[in-house]
């Protein structure tokens, strides 16, 4: 069985990106700057309104794993797609970027492959409208214990917590990874998701080696307005805590060590994937044994690259950017 340096579990979503203005968002009833879950008929309506579509394989953790693959790590992704046009496109494109799509597309009459309609306004904000489709059915049976059990790093996607089967898949994979000597962690994904499943998230955090979230997610998880108190509790619950704060220093806590990594001010072309690629850069540092401060800086560089263009995956050689800053 292949030994992967990093394996991700998450929603296998085809991203469909289109540019629009604020008036369009208002007319279509789209809330700016957040991810909204939608039903199939709403998805078809919005898809029909998109102009100059760009299509690519996506999903938050899938984007992170693809970023790690582009950095040269051996990577795999566990996800669920239907054996339809979008599902075959997804599996093929993940392979094209150097990541093994572990699961065979599902044949039969199940839900269609998931897709997210992403509308990008001139200020770079992205408004995501996601129809989850077959991804919501991912469960323990989709997790190959040999894949999870031989992963150096396992990265889980908080969005999948909306279904009990997803929670069960996470726990099974995390325990297999840790039993095999790997490190398992999660992206909190979204404050609304955290609010819906707070108790389950807090239990899971205690079983994980690292957790990545933004300040809003950490505040939601611990039901406080005091970020310092939230991160102190988080550090007591888990091994390595990462807190991103849009435009401000990234805070990293591991044991008694707290590191703040400055963020360069950049006007985004498209903020899609900023958190996903931060995670890719950061986890690359972790996987290759770099100090916290270096890993955090790698995350910031990867995030800055992806917001400089449209799309959620890197276009430049991010490893060369690390080398240019003397991080390798």
């Amino acid at each position: 069985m292949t030994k992967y340096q990093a394996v991700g579990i998450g929603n296998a979503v085809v991203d469909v990106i289109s540019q629009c203005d604020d008036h369009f968002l208002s007319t279509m009833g789209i809330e700016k700057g957040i991810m909204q879950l939608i039903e199939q008929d709403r998805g078809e309506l919005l898809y029909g309104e998109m102009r100059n579509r760009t299509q690519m394989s996506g999903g938050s953790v899938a984007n992170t794993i693809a970023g790690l693959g582009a950095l040269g790590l051996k990577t795999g992704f566990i996800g669920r797609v239907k054996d339809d046009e979008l599902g075959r496109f997804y599996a093929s494109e993940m392979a094209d970027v150097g990541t093994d799509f572990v699961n065979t597309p599902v044949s039969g009459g199940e839900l269609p492959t998931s897709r997210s309609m992403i509308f990008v306004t001139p200020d770079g904000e992205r408004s995501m409208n996601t129809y989850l489709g077959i991804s919501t059915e991912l469960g323990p049976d989709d997790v190959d214990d040999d894949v999870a059990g031989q992963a150096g790093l396992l990265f889980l996607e908080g969005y999948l917590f909306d279904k009990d089967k997803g929670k069960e898949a996470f726990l099974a994979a995390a325990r297999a990874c840790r039993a095999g000597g790997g490190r398992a962690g999660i992206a909190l994904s979204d404050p609304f998701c955290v609010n819906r499943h707070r108790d389950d998230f807090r239990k899971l955090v205690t079983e994980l080696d690292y957790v990545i979230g933004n300040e809003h997610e950490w505040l939601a998880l611990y039901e406080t307005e005091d970020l310092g108190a939230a991160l102190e509790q988080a550090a007591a619950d888990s091994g390595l805590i990462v807190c991103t704060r849009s435009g401000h220093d990234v805070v990293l806590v591991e044991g008694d060590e707290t590191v703040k990594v400055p963020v360069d001010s950049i006007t985004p072309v498209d903020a899609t994937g900023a958190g996903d690629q931060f995670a890719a850069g950061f986890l690359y540092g972790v996987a290759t044994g770099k100090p916290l401060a270096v890993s955090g800086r790698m995350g910031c560089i990867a995030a800055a690259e992806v917001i400089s263009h449209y799309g959620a995956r890197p276009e430049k050689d991010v490893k060369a950017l690390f080398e240019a800053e003397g991080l390798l």
Side-chain angles (χ1 to χ4, degrees):
M1 179 59 62
T2 305
K3 170 79 172 178
Y4 291 102
Q5 290 168 285
V7 170
I9 303 179
N11 284 308
V13 184
V14 176
D15 286 339
V16 187
I17 301 174
S18 177
Q19 298 173 46
C20 73
D21 56 22
D22 287 339
H23 176 71
F24 176 87
L25 296 182
S26 177
T27 300
M28 298 302 297
I30 297 170
E31 190 169 345
K32 184 173 180 177
I34 70 164
M35 193 283 286
Q36 291 179 297
L37 294 177
I38 58 174
E39 297 301 321
Q40 189 169 358
D41 55 351
R42 171 78 167 160
E44 290 170 356
L45 170 69
L46 293 180
Y47 186 82
E49 293 291 331
M50 301 184 91
R51 302 292 175 262
N52 302 314
R53 304 182 191 105
T54 301
Q55 182 173 292
M56 62 196 70
S57 57
S60 178
V61 163
N63 289 335
T64 297
I65 293 298
L68 285 165
L71 283 163
L73 297 193
K74 184 156 188 61
T75 54
F77 181 70
I78 296 170
R80 193 170 177 85
V81 298
K82 186 177 180 181
D83 187 11
D84 55 16
E85 183 181 350
L86 283 180
R88 290 187 293 273
F89 164 82
Y90 191 97
S92 163
E93 197 180 64
M94 287 298 282
D96 288 345
V97 298
T99 292
D100 289 348
F101 188 73
V102 175
N103 306 72
T104 304
V106 178
S107 58
E110 290 196 58
L111 297 166
T113 295
S114 311
R115 71 286 312 267
S116 182
M117 277 65 68
I118 303 171
F119 295 92
V120 183
T121 41
D123 59 2
E125 276 287 356
R126 84 273 194 237
S127 306
M128 303 169 67
N129 299 265
T130 304
Y131 169 60
L132 288 176
I134 197 172
S135 273
T136 62
E137 298 302 311
L138 187 138
D141 291 346
D142 297 301
V143 176
D144 186 326
D145 283 349
D146 288 331
V147 173
Q150 296 197 55
L153 289 174
L154 182 73
F155 193 38
L156 311 171
E157 182 174 312
Y159 285 130
L160 271 175
F161 253 50
D162 276 315
K163 286 287 183 78
D164 287 340
K165 287 202 295 187
K167 295 174 189 175
E168 292 167 16
F170 278 7
L171 281 171
R175 288 167 181 165
C177 173
R178 298 182 84 188
R183 300 175 75 183
I186 194 170
L188 293 177
S189 295
D190 180 273
F192 300 108
C193 188
V194 170
N195 283 327
R196 286 194 296 272
H197 306 286
R198 182 178 292 109
D199 290 345
D200 286 327
F201 268 123
R202 288 185 64 166
K203 287 174 189 169
L204 181 64
V205 163
T206 65
E207 291 206 33
L208 297 177
D209 301 292
Y210 63 93
V211 184
I212 300 175
N214 65 36
E215 58 184 319
H216 306 296
E217 292 154 5
W218 285 117
L219 293 174
L221 185 63
Y222 291 103
E223 295 183 278
T224 179
E225 294 300 314
D226 183 341
L227 183 62
L231 296 184
E232 184 176 347
Q233 181 60 54
D237 287 346
S238 188
L240 170 57
I241 299 302
V242 181
C243 177
T244 59
R245 302 181 299 155
S246 184
H248 300 284
D249 293 357
V250 175
V251 182
L252 310 169
V253 185
E254 186 170 28
D256 295 331
E257 183 182 7
T258 298
V259 173
K260 291 187 177 180
V261 180
V263 174
D264 296 331
S265 180
I266 295 171
T267 301
V269 171
D270 172 13
T272 309
D276 305 341
Q277 294 310 320
F278 171 86
F282 173 75
L283 292 176
Y284 178 81
V286 172
T288 55
K290 298 291 186 282
L292 273 190
V294 173
S295 298
R297 182 62 192 148
M298 287 176 163
C300 293
I301 291 170
E305 190 283 332
V306 82
I307 66 173
S308 69
H309 56 77
Y310 288 102
R313 306 236 172 129
E315 290 184 353
K316 294 180 183 173
D317 182 343
V318 177
K319 198 169 184 179
L321 300 178
F322 294 166
E323 290 171 345
E325 285 216 14
L327 301 179
L328 295 178

